[in-house]
Amino acid sequence: MLDQLEQIKREALSSLEAVQDDEALAQWKVAHLGRSSPLMATFDDLRDVPKEERPAIGRGANQVKQALEASYEAKSDALRAAAVLQSLEKEHLDVTLPGRPVLRGRLHPTTQTMRRIYGVFAEMGFQIYLSREVETDEYNFQLLNFPPHHPAREMQDTLFVDSGTERGDNPILLRTHTSPGQIHAMREFSAANPDDPPPVRIILPGMCYRYEQVTTRHEMQFNQIEGLAVGEHITFGDLKGTLSDFARRMFGQQVRYRFRASHFPFTEPSAEMDIECFVCGGEGCSVCKRTGWLEILGCGMVHPIVLQNGGYDPDRYTGFAFGMGPERITMLLYRIEDIRNYWANDFRFLEQF
Amino acid sequence: MLIPISWLKDFVDITLPIEELARVLTMAGLEVEEVIYVGLPFPEGQIEGRSGAHQRPETKVSGIEWDSDKIVVAAVHEVMPHPDADRLVLCRLDDGGGEQIVLTGAPNLYPYKGKGALEKPLKVPYAREGARIYDGHKPGQVLMTLKRAKIRGVESYSMICSEKELGISDDHEGIIVLDDDAPVGVPLVDYMGDAVFDIAITPNIARDANILGVAREVTALTNQALRSPSYKFEASGAPIAGQAAVEITNPELNPRFVLGLIRDVKIAPSPYWVQRRLLLAGMRPIYNIVDATNYTMLEVGEPLHAFDYDVLVERVGGKAPKIITRTARAGERLTTLDGEERTLSDFTVLVCDSEGALAIAGVMGGAESEVHEGTRNVLLEGAAWNFINIRRTIADQRMSSEAAYRFSRGVHPAMAERGVRRGVELMRQWSGGVIAEGLIDNYPLPSSDPSVEVTPRDVQRWLGIELTPEEIADILRRLEFNVEMNGNTVRATSPDHRLDIGAGVTGVADLLEEIARIYGYERIPETRMADELPPQTGNPALEKEEHMRDLLVELGMQEVVNYRLTSPEREARLLPIGTGPVDASYVRLANPIASDRHVLRRSLLSSVLEVVELNARNRERIALFEIGPVFRPSQDGSLPVEVLRLAIALTGPRAQLSWQGGDTTAMDFYDLKGALEELFAGLHIDTVRFEPDETTPYHPGKCAQIILGDNRLGTMGEMHPLVREHYDLPETPLIVAELDLQLILDAIPGRHTIRPVPAFPPVLEDIAVIVDENMPAERVLEVIEGVGGKMLVEVRLFDVYRGEQIEAGKKSLAYSLAYQAPDRTLTDKEAAKIRGRIIRRLEQELGAQLRS
């Protein structure tokens, strides 16, 4: 009887090997696991087997049944996999065809650069302070240590507003830098606690204007980001440390830079910060005008008169300030040769950012 | 400011290589923008002005180097006619190595032609075969190598050089005739090779706009002593007293006035070395008397004015002239030596005599009394002027001059006397005149040079470095401050050649800058701020604004940024046809730079439409926004109002056409409305309403005002087609919006809460109702939502139908509804009950009919 079972199993498995499709598999199942299959017949025949042999033969029959069912499942899976494979082979795409267009918006390149700059200074504790674009001569110049008719004003040709009334030495103008915000901020902070004004650490972004013919390198309207730090222990060394950290974050940890003496009426000592030209690596090229250096910002220790005008006692407080042009930095980073691209808003330019 | 190195060497030794000196000056605030070589060899590794591989340039370099073997001083002994050419001559010269015959066409040699051997040979710069010089016949500076050639049958292999060929000036009219003492055979580079620094002068270093000033900086930076120029003059004439006088009427405007007198001058060209220095410093040589005034100004910084003394005497009928300085009388006129007749303002200071104006003080002389080629006696003026008044004058008269450049930045009154002393002595040396004994010196308002105290603590507090009082004193002494020490305190008095040191706290800052500059910014160590960190307040308003930018970008729009300056005409394009520029009041510029940008914008929409117009030439589909201020004048002449606004424009196909098609139908009202709804959803402002509106420049049927509570945020809609025609745009619908950004920012809630994710499945079903054509969809929605209550979690309109199966004048609105309870699965029976109530209410309130 056991030999007979072994025989049934062998024959069933060998005929399964020949099965090639679902239909044949169904037939095989009927033939070998169906009601009238030889295996099922052995179960029927069990009652004729002597009682003491029955458990062994019953066990044997069950083992064969399980084996055949497992083989059936395996075969079924194999057939399905083969069929799927066959159908997928007919579904080859040309992966080199272009993808479906997805339309996305973009920030203006200046906004992108300004956000990078905000980010670097935010991590150093600088808060953003905004102020108005149309200002008085007093805030734009006088309180910043540019007296009326001072020669330094020539460095900043100004667009004045026709205010319709005689305002003498205090005309209304379009701000030439965001520095009036330094006075607004210091006055706001010191007014809250005049005897003990809090330390200041702010950046002042915004649009500024100059009386300037628009050319590939000069704009009448441009953004500026200034910074101001005022406290009881702030030194020129801190200015150098802060701005060199900024340069490394903005232009790479390996950047070479230098601080050279310069002049701004609202800071003293004043400096220009240059970074090594990243176009030519300092060898001299048209971008750096063959000097190997790129001017990226002006800076200095806040002039005592400016501190005083802001409500901060220069005998107790010191501070540093700096100012940079995000458009210029963007031009350097992306080698933009024409500054007029910014406010022209040609999508063929804007879409490259 | 152009500074020839050779001139600098009169006052200080040059101990550093030229390019290193340029770097040191640049770091100390005298930015050397360019080093122009005129003969001296280029720095190592730099060839013909281009940087080599192993040398960092640091400074822009240009110019020419003179090969010491090939360019030498020679003596011309005879000028002979050319056998075949009238305009050429042959020169017999000695270049130190023997006799050469050299061909030249220089007109300044014609007078010597055929005169035989010259009694006094002419010293000239001579370039041998193979020398590299600039091509005299090509425009600009083009290098060439001298090659042997036959010109009109005469062999030519070398050249006598013009200034252009050697890079001294652009003059190629004749050859250079050197001074008689030039040593024959010596390399020209050793005799007069030079390099010129082009230095940018910022207002604080106005004192350095001259050779002596730069020399002072070099001495301080390289720790040397200055060889001060001699201000002695050799006088042998009758004393000036009695021959001239000075009266100053306003010492505030004219603190000092000095006169010197020199008689019997012989007007002639200056020595060549003087001419060369003037040229290299950027001024044209004229003749000895004028050159002496310019030379003195360039050298020590005091502008001088030379009067023809005899003209002054004649004007007052043969008496001794008296110079009077005073402000102009109303309407007073003067013809200045640039030939212009000028009407003067009442603040303009004039140099006059009793007969009237002679010169605009500190700016320009008058035509009548200026020196000329027939002048014999010269009265030389050196004065001090109020620099603010000079600035006002040059702005008022729209004129400039070398003198005004200096006086408008401030020249110390001490320089007036020094300038006259130096000037008359140079005139004597170069013109052979006789200087009158003494000077007339009227000095009613002596300068008070400020004294400032500075301590090591100040240095530490501002610069972050520790210096001893002695170190501080040493630096200041190098800059010629008069220094006294008292314990830790260094008291420094400003030297009498500079006006930039202030008093009080300003003076301390001024000294600290000088200390830092000379100590070296490079040596100050970098530190990180140890100071207390201020309160970290953030900027919530800006953060919201930036969040809004992000949302608009996520909605597929490009950010643009425009000029805020425009013209009323540009903005009037937004008005209907037939209306001219409105009278709207604008913030106007008093000094506009361009006629189409002379007011600040009132409309952000106008700005973005210009961008749409520009891009419509290259793009079918445009989706953009701008966030920025518009400006309105205040009524009382005070500061204008700046209001932040948001403008959006959409036009063109909804999607980009691809090889698979895509929805290329034109965007319409609902595209923009959808974007705005999503924007407000993103800002968590959920009570915004859109109400029909009819206003310019919108299509009357496709316009909505956007309302939040009691505030009107702005307007959106399709542009009126007749307004759109004002722009160069295709006939595609253009959908725009302009909103008040501040109102939106103010409405953004500080925080919002979320609904829990539903734990039980919704019951979904659709209903369609038929309503009157003019029934706003919003009414239907309000009823459905009102009845549905909390269980109705979503209502979405998915179809609006008009047509065959619907009665005329009606429309069908189909909604898909989702009912859901937070705590259980709703039964169909519960859902059907809500639905029944919704339908009954729609029927009762809106006369709707259920569409089966």
Side-chain angles (χ1 to χ4, degrees), chain A residues 111 115 127 132-134 149 154 160 162 219 236 238 240 245 257 268 270 283 314 347 351, chain B residues 51 391 461-462 510 521 524 526-528 536 538 546 559 563-564 588 590 615 619 640 642:
Chain A
T111 308
R115 285 188 177 187
Q127 313 291 300
R132 50 181 311 126
E133 295 182 11
V134 186
H149 306 291
E154 241 166 51
F160 290 97
D162 177 4
E219 255 297 355
F236 193 84
D238 292 340
K240 284 182 69 178
D245 276 341
Y257 52 85
E268 194 167 20
S270 300
E283 298 294 341
F347 279 26
E351 284 172 355
Chain B
S51 66
R391 302 189 72 70
R461 212 163 71 84
W462 282 70
D510 292 336
Y521 283 15
I524 297 175
E526 287 174 11
T527 47
R528 290 203 170 84
Q536 297 292 289
E546 296 294 348
E559 188 194 17
Y563 286 107
R564 328 276 222 229
R588 287 172 194 280
N615 284 289
R619 289 273 184 292
E642 301 176 12

Short mmCIF file of all heavy atoms in Angstrom, two decimals, chain A residues 111 115 127 132-134 149 154 160 162 219 236 238 240 245 257 268 270 283 314 347 351, chain B residues 51 391 461-462 510 521 524 526-528 536 538 546 559 563-564 588 590 615 619 640 642:
data_model
loop_
_atom_site.label_atom_id
_atom_site.label_comp_id
_atom_site.label_asym_id
_atom_site.label_seq_id
_atom_site.Cartn_x
_atom_site.Cartn_y
_atom_site.Cartn_z
N THR A 111 15.52 87.56 -3.94
CA THR A 111 14.88 87.02 -2.74
C THR A 111 15.65 85.79 -2.26
O THR A 111 15.89 85.61 -1.06
CB THR A 111 13.42 86.63 -3.05
OG1 THR A 111 12.77 87.73 -3.65
CG2 THR A 111 12.68 86.21 -1.79
N ARG A 115 17.49 85.59 1.36
CA ARG A 115 17.14 84.58 2.36
C ARG A 115 18.38 83.81 2.84
O ARG A 115 18.47 83.47 4.02
CB ARG A 115 16.13 83.60 1.77
CG ARG A 115 14.76 84.20 1.67
CD ARG A 115 13.80 83.12 1.26
NE ARG A 115 12.44 83.61 1.22
CZ ARG A 115 11.40 82.81 1.02
NH1 ARG A 115 11.57 81.51 0.86
NH2 ARG A 115 10.18 83.31 0.99
N GLN A 127 18.56 89.79 14.24
CA GLN A 127 17.14 89.84 13.90
C GLN A 127 16.95 90.78 12.72
O GLN A 127 17.73 91.70 12.53
CB GLN A 127 16.33 90.36 15.09
CG GLN A 127 16.69 89.71 16.40
CD GLN A 127 16.25 88.27 16.44
OE1 GLN A 127 15.07 87.96 16.31
NE2 GLN A 127 17.19 87.36 16.60
N ARG A 132 11.13 102.23 6.42
CA ARG A 132 10.53 102.81 5.22
C ARG A 132 11.56 103.14 4.13
O ARG A 132 12.75 103.27 4.42
CB ARG A 132 9.72 104.04 5.56
CG ARG A 132 10.46 105.07 6.44
CD ARG A 132 9.56 106.25 6.75
NE ARG A 132 8.97 106.72 5.53
CZ ARG A 132 7.66 106.88 5.34
NH1 ARG A 132 6.83 106.64 6.31
NH2 ARG A 132 7.20 107.28 4.17
N GLU A 133 11.06 103.25 2.88
CA GLU A 133 11.94 103.51 1.74
C GLU A 133 12.06 105.00 1.43
O GLU A 133 13.06 105.43 0.89
CB GLU A 133 11.43 102.76 0.49
CG GLU A 133 11.51 101.26 0.68
CD GLU A 133 11.06 100.45 -0.54
OE1 GLU A 133 10.88 101.04 -1.63
OE2 GLU A 133 10.90 99.23 -0.39
N VAL A 134 11.02 105.76 1.74
CA VAL A 134 11.08 107.21 1.52
C VAL A 134 11.40 107.82 2.88
O VAL A 134 10.72 107.55 3.86
CB VAL A 134 9.76 107.76 0.97
CG1 VAL A 134 9.91 109.24 0.63
CG2 VAL A 134 9.33 106.98 -0.28
N HIS A 149 25.93 119.29 2.88
CA HIS A 149 27.06 119.69 2.02
C HIS A 149 28.36 118.93 2.32
O HIS A 149 29.41 119.31 1.84
CB HIS A 149 27.35 121.19 2.11
CG HIS A 149 26.16 122.03 1.82
ND1 HIS A 149 25.62 122.10 0.55
CD2 HIS A 149 25.38 122.80 2.62
CE1 HIS A 149 24.57 122.89 0.59
NE2 HIS A 149 24.39 123.31 1.83
N GLU A 154 28.71 113.05 -1.82
CA GLU A 154 28.93 112.87 -3.24
C GLU A 154 29.03 111.41 -3.62
O GLU A 154 28.81 111.03 -4.75
CB GLU A 154 30.23 113.54 -3.64
CG GLU A 154 29.99 114.62 -4.64
CD GLU A 154 31.20 115.49 -4.77
OE1 GLU A 154 32.29 114.94 -4.97
OE2 GLU A 154 31.05 116.71 -4.66
N PHE A 160 15.72 113.05 -4.87
CA PHE A 160 14.92 113.79 -3.91
C PHE A 160 13.46 113.81 -4.33
O PHE A 160 13.15 113.74 -5.53
CB PHE A 160 15.44 115.24 -3.81
CG PHE A 160 16.78 115.33 -3.14
CD1 PHE A 160 17.95 115.41 -3.89
CD2 PHE A 160 16.87 115.30 -1.74
CE1 PHE A 160 19.19 115.46 -3.28
CE2 PHE A 160 18.11 115.37 -1.12
CZ PHE A 160 19.27 115.44 -1.89
N ASP A 162 9.87 115.76 -4.56
CA ASP A 162 9.29 117.09 -4.62
C ASP A 162 8.12 117.11 -3.63
O ASP A 162 7.05 116.62 -3.94
CB ASP A 162 8.81 117.35 -6.06
CG ASP A 162 8.14 118.69 -6.20
OD1 ASP A 162 8.10 119.44 -5.20
OD2 ASP A 162 7.65 118.96 -7.30
N GLU A 219 22.77 100.47 -11.12
CA GLU A 219 21.32 100.53 -11.05
C GLU A 219 20.89 101.73 -10.23
O GLU A 219 21.60 102.16 -9.32
CB GLU A 219 20.76 99.25 -10.41
CG GLU A 219 20.13 98.28 -11.39
CD GLU A 219 18.90 98.86 -12.10
OE1 GLU A 219 18.46 99.98 -11.78
OE2 GLU A 219 18.40 98.17 -13.01
N PHE A 236 36.50 95.84 16.98
CA PHE A 236 36.82 95.65 15.57
C PHE A 236 37.18 94.19 15.30
O PHE A 236 36.89 93.66 14.22
CB PHE A 236 38.00 96.57 15.20
CG PHE A 236 38.23 96.71 13.72
CD1 PHE A 236 37.51 97.64 12.98
CD2 PHE A 236 39.17 95.93 13.07
CE1 PHE A 236 37.73 97.77 11.61
CE2 PHE A 236 39.40 96.07 11.70
CZ PHE A 236 38.68 96.99 10.98
N ASP A 238 35.72 91.68 16.72
CA ASP A 238 34.42 91.02 16.57
C ASP A 238 33.86 91.23 15.17
O ASP A 238 33.26 90.34 14.58
CB ASP A 238 33.42 91.56 17.59
CG ASP A 238 33.78 91.17 19.02
OD1 ASP A 238 34.54 90.21 19.19
OD2 ASP A 238 33.27 91.83 19.95
N LYS A 240 35.58 91.70 12.46
CA LYS A 240 36.32 90.83 11.53
C LYS A 240 35.86 89.38 11.68
O LYS A 240 35.66 88.68 10.68
CB LYS A 240 37.83 90.93 11.80
CG LYS A 240 38.46 92.21 11.27
CD LYS A 240 39.98 92.24 11.50
CE LYS A 240 40.72 91.24 10.64
NZ LYS A 240 42.18 91.32 10.85
N ASP A 245 33.22 84.86 9.31
CA ASP A 245 32.31 83.72 9.41
C ASP A 245 31.26 83.78 8.31
O ASP A 245 30.94 82.79 7.66
CB ASP A 245 31.60 83.72 10.78
CG ASP A 245 32.44 83.07 11.87
OD1 ASP A 245 33.38 82.31 11.52
OD2 ASP A 245 32.16 83.31 13.07
N TYR A 257 40.12 86.20 2.26
CA TYR A 257 39.49 87.51 2.34
C TYR A 257 40.46 88.49 2.95
O TYR A 257 41.50 88.11 3.49
CB TYR A 257 38.20 87.45 3.18
CG TYR A 257 38.42 86.83 4.52
CD1 TYR A 257 38.88 87.58 5.61
CD2 TYR A 257 38.24 85.46 4.70
CE1 TYR A 257 39.13 87.00 6.82
CE2 TYR A 257 38.49 84.87 5.92
CZ TYR A 257 38.94 85.64 6.98
OH TYR A 257 39.20 85.05 8.18
N GLU A 268 33.74 104.36 11.91
CA GLU A 268 35.13 104.75 12.04
C GLU A 268 35.77 103.91 13.15
O GLU A 268 35.25 103.93 14.28
CB GLU A 268 35.26 106.23 12.38
CG GLU A 268 36.68 106.74 12.20
CD GLU A 268 36.80 108.26 12.21
OE1 GLU A 268 35.87 108.90 12.72
OE2 GLU A 268 37.80 108.79 11.72
N SER A 270 36.71 102.43 9.36
CA SER A 270 35.91 101.80 8.33
C SER A 270 36.76 100.85 7.52
O SER A 270 37.98 101.01 7.45
CB SER A 270 35.33 102.85 7.38
OG SER A 270 34.51 103.76 8.08
N GLU A 283 43.91 84.93 -9.65
CA GLU A 283 44.97 85.14 -10.64
C GLU A 283 44.78 86.44 -11.43
O GLU A 283 45.69 86.89 -12.10
CB GLU A 283 45.00 83.98 -11.64
CG GLU A 283 45.30 82.63 -11.01
CD GLU A 283 46.72 82.55 -10.44
OE1 GLU A 283 47.56 83.36 -10.84
OE2 GLU A 283 46.96 81.67 -9.60
N PRO A 314 28.25 106.59 23.76
CA PRO A 314 29.48 106.03 23.17
C PRO A 314 30.57 105.77 24.20
O PRO A 314 31.51 105.03 23.90
CB PRO A 314 29.92 107.07 22.14
CG PRO A 314 29.21 108.32 22.50
CD PRO A 314 27.97 107.95 23.24
N PHE A 347 11.59 86.17 -18.05
CA PHE A 347 11.51 84.81 -17.51
C PHE A 347 12.70 83.97 -17.96
O PHE A 347 13.07 83.01 -17.28
CB PHE A 347 10.20 84.12 -17.95
CG PHE A 347 9.02 84.51 -17.10
CD1 PHE A 347 8.99 85.73 -16.43
CD2 PHE A 347 7.93 83.66 -16.97
CE1 PHE A 347 7.91 86.08 -15.64
CE2 PHE A 347 6.85 84.00 -16.18
CZ PHE A 347 6.83 85.22 -15.53
N GLU A 351 14.03 82.09 -14.79
CA GLU A 351 13.83 80.64 -14.71
C GLU A 351 15.13 79.87 -14.55
O GLU A 351 15.13 78.65 -14.43
CB GLU A 351 13.07 80.16 -15.96
CG GLU A 351 11.59 80.52 -15.86
CD GLU A 351 10.82 80.25 -17.14
OE1 GLU A 351 11.46 79.86 -18.14
OE2 GLU A 351 9.59 80.44 -17.13
N SER B 51 48.83 89.00 -15.80
CA SER B 51 49.44 88.34 -14.67
C SER B 51 50.04 87.01 -15.07
O SER B 51 49.50 86.29 -15.90
CB SER B 51 48.40 88.14 -13.58
OG SER B 51 47.43 87.24 -14.03
N ARG B 391 31.79 123.98 -2.15
CA ARG B 391 30.90 122.93 -2.67
C ARG B 391 29.63 123.54 -3.21
O ARG B 391 29.13 123.16 -4.25
CB ARG B 391 30.52 121.94 -1.57
CG ARG B 391 31.65 121.26 -0.91
CD ARG B 391 31.13 120.16 -0.01
NE ARG B 391 30.63 119.06 -0.82
CZ ARG B 391 31.43 118.28 -1.51
NH1 ARG B 391 32.72 118.45 -1.49
NH2 ARG B 391 30.93 117.32 -2.24
N ARG B 461 38.92 98.85 23.80
CA ARG B 461 37.45 98.82 23.73
C ARG B 461 36.96 98.84 22.28
O ARG B 461 35.98 98.19 21.93
CB ARG B 461 36.91 100.05 24.47
CG ARG B 461 35.58 99.86 25.14
CD ARG B 461 35.34 100.97 26.16
NE ARG B 461 35.09 102.26 25.54
CZ ARG B 461 33.90 102.67 25.10
NH1 ARG B 461 32.85 101.89 25.21
NH2 ARG B 461 33.77 103.86 24.55
N TRP B 462 37.63 99.58 21.43
CA TRP B 462 37.15 99.72 20.04
C TRP B 462 37.80 98.71 19.10
O TRP B 462 37.14 98.19 18.21
CB TRP B 462 37.46 101.13 19.52
CG TRP B 462 36.51 102.15 20.02
CD1 TRP B 462 36.41 102.61 21.29
CD2 TRP B 462 35.48 102.82 19.28
NE1 TRP B 462 35.41 103.52 21.39
CE2 TRP B 462 34.81 103.68 20.17
CE3 TRP B 462 35.07 102.78 17.95
CZ2 TRP B 462 33.75 104.49 19.77
CZ3 TRP B 462 34.02 103.59 17.54
CH2 TRP B 462 33.37 104.43 18.45
N ASP B 510 38.44 109.32 15.28
CA ASP B 510 39.37 109.65 14.19
C ASP B 510 40.77 109.11 14.51
O ASP B 510 41.43 108.54 13.64
CB ASP B 510 39.45 111.17 13.99
CG ASP B 510 38.15 111.76 13.45
OD1 ASP B 510 37.39 111.02 12.82
OD2 ASP B 510 37.90 112.96 13.68
N TYR B 521 45.12 96.67 9.75
CA TYR B 521 43.89 95.91 9.97
C TYR B 521 44.19 94.41 9.99
O TYR B 521 43.57 93.64 10.70
CB TYR B 521 42.87 96.19 8.85
CG TYR B 521 42.14 97.51 8.93
CD1 TYR B 521 42.58 98.54 9.75
CD2 TYR B 521 40.99 97.73 8.17
CE1 TYR B 521 41.90 99.75 9.80
CE2 TYR B 521 40.30 98.93 8.22
CZ TYR B 521 40.77 99.94 9.03
OH TYR B 521 40.08 101.13 9.06
N ILE B 524 44.96 92.83 13.39
CA ILE B 524 43.95 92.80 14.47
C ILE B 524 43.29 91.41 14.44
O ILE B 524 42.76 91.00 13.41
CB ILE B 524 42.91 93.91 14.27
CG1 ILE B 524 43.60 95.28 14.36
CG2 ILE B 524 41.78 93.79 15.29
CD1 ILE B 524 42.71 96.47 14.08
N GLU B 526 40.88 88.18 14.75
CA GLU B 526 39.43 87.96 14.61
C GLU B 526 38.91 87.32 15.89
O GLU B 526 39.51 86.38 16.41
CB GLU B 526 39.16 86.99 13.46
CG GLU B 526 39.37 87.62 12.11
CD GLU B 526 39.24 86.62 10.96
OE1 GLU B 526 38.78 85.49 11.20
OE2 GLU B 526 39.63 86.99 9.84
N THR B 527 37.78 87.83 16.36
CA THR B 527 37.16 87.25 17.56
C THR B 527 35.68 87.05 17.29
O THR B 527 35.13 87.66 16.36
CB THR B 527 37.33 88.19 18.77
OG1 THR B 527 36.96 89.52 18.36
CG2 THR B 527 38.76 88.22 19.25
N ARG B 528 35.04 86.19 18.07
CA ARG B 528 33.58 86.08 17.98
C ARG B 528 32.98 86.88 19.13
O ARG B 528 33.53 86.88 20.22
CB ARG B 528 33.13 84.62 18.04
CG ARG B 528 33.53 83.87 16.79
CD ARG B 528 32.68 82.64 16.54
NE ARG B 528 32.98 82.13 15.21
CZ ARG B 528 34.01 81.31 14.95
NH1 ARG B 528 34.78 80.89 15.93
NH2 ARG B 528 34.24 80.91 13.71
N GLN B 536 15.87 87.69 21.26
CA GLN B 536 15.66 87.12 19.92
C GLN B 536 14.19 87.22 19.58
O GLN B 536 13.40 86.32 19.84
CB GLN B 536 16.18 85.69 19.90
CG GLN B 536 17.68 85.60 20.17
CD GLN B 536 18.51 86.19 19.05
OE1 GLN B 536 18.60 85.62 17.96
NE2 GLN B 536 19.11 87.35 19.28
N GLY B 538 12.79 87.81 16.54
CA GLY B 538 12.33 87.45 15.20
C GLY B 538 11.66 88.64 14.54
O GLY B 538 11.65 89.75 15.08
N GLU B 546 7.15 86.23 3.96
CA GLU B 546 7.97 85.24 3.25
C GLU B 546 7.20 83.94 3.10
O GLU B 546 7.32 83.24 2.09
CB GLU B 546 9.29 85.00 4.01
CG GLU B 546 10.22 86.22 4.08
CD GLU B 546 10.77 86.66 2.72
OE1 GLU B 546 10.64 85.91 1.72
OE2 GLU B 546 11.33 87.77 2.64
N GLU B 559 8.03 84.68 -8.93
CA GLU B 559 8.10 85.99 -8.28
C GLU B 559 8.83 86.97 -9.18
O GLU B 559 9.84 86.62 -9.79
CB GLU B 559 8.85 85.90 -6.94
CG GLU B 559 8.76 87.21 -6.18
CD GLU B 559 9.73 87.35 -5.00
OE1 GLU B 559 10.71 86.57 -4.93
OE2 GLU B 559 9.51 88.23 -4.19
N TYR B 563 10.88 97.95 -10.87
CA TYR B 563 11.19 99.32 -10.47
C TYR B 563 9.99 99.89 -9.74
O TYR B 563 8.85 99.72 -10.17
CB TYR B 563 11.46 100.18 -11.70
CG TYR B 563 12.78 99.92 -12.36
CD1 TYR B 563 12.86 99.26 -13.57
CD2 TYR B 563 13.95 100.35 -11.75
CE1 TYR B 563 14.09 99.02 -14.17
CE2 TYR B 563 15.18 100.13 -12.35
CZ TYR B 563 15.24 99.46 -13.56
OH TYR B 563 16.44 99.23 -14.15
N ARG B 564 10.27 100.60 -8.65
CA ARG B 564 9.17 101.28 -7.96
C ARG B 564 8.93 102.64 -8.62
O ARG B 564 7.96 103.31 -8.31
CB ARG B 564 9.47 101.54 -6.49
CG ARG B 564 10.34 100.55 -5.77
CD ARG B 564 9.61 99.36 -5.25
NE ARG B 564 10.06 98.99 -3.92
CZ ARG B 564 10.40 97.74 -3.56
NH1 ARG B 564 10.33 96.75 -4.41
NH2 ARG B 564 10.77 97.49 -2.33
N ARG B 588 6.37 112.56 -6.34
CA ARG B 588 7.17 112.94 -7.50
C ARG B 588 8.61 113.21 -7.12
O ARG B 588 8.87 113.77 -6.05
CB ARG B 588 6.60 114.23 -8.12
CG ARG B 588 5.32 114.01 -8.86
CD ARG B 588 4.67 115.32 -9.30
NE ARG B 588 3.31 115.04 -9.71
CZ ARG B 588 2.99 114.54 -10.91
NH1 ARG B 588 3.93 114.35 -11.80
NH2 ARG B 588 1.74 114.26 -11.20
N ALA B 590 12.08 115.27 -7.38
CA ALA B 590 12.49 116.63 -7.71
C ALA B 590 13.59 116.61 -8.76
O ALA B 590 13.75 117.56 -9.52
CB ALA B 590 12.99 117.34 -6.45
N ASN B 615 7.15 89.50 -21.26
CA ASN B 615 7.37 88.07 -21.41
C ASN B 615 6.44 87.43 -22.42
O ASN B 615 6.72 86.34 -22.92
CB ASN B 615 7.26 87.38 -20.05
CG ASN B 615 8.50 87.63 -19.21
OD1 ASN B 615 9.56 87.10 -19.50
ND2 ASN B 615 8.37 88.49 -18.21
N ARG B 619 6.68 83.84 -24.31
CA ARG B 619 6.00 82.82 -23.52
C ARG B 619 4.50 82.91 -23.78
O ARG B 619 3.95 84.00 -23.82
CB ARG B 619 6.19 83.10 -22.02
CG ARG B 619 7.55 82.87 -21.46
CD ARG B 619 7.70 81.43 -21.05
NE ARG B 619 8.99 81.19 -20.42
CZ ARG B 619 10.15 81.24 -21.04
NH1 ARG B 619 10.19 81.52 -22.33
NH2 ARG B 619 11.27 80.99 -20.39
N PRO B 640 5.58 110.30 2.61
CA PRO B 640 4.49 109.60 1.93
C PRO B 640 4.10 108.32 2.67
O PRO B 640 4.82 107.83 3.54
CB PRO B 640 5.09 109.25 0.57
CG PRO B 640 6.37 109.93 0.47
CD PRO B 640 6.81 110.32 1.83
N GLU B 642 3.52 104.39 2.61
CA GLU B 642 4.00 103.21 1.88
C GLU B 642 3.10 102.03 2.26
O GLU B 642 2.99 101.71 3.43
CB GLU B 642 5.45 102.89 2.27
CG GLU B 642 6.40 104.04 1.97
CD GLU B 642 7.84 103.79 2.43
OE1 GLU B 642 8.17 102.64 2.77
OE2 GLU B 642 8.60 104.77 2.44
#
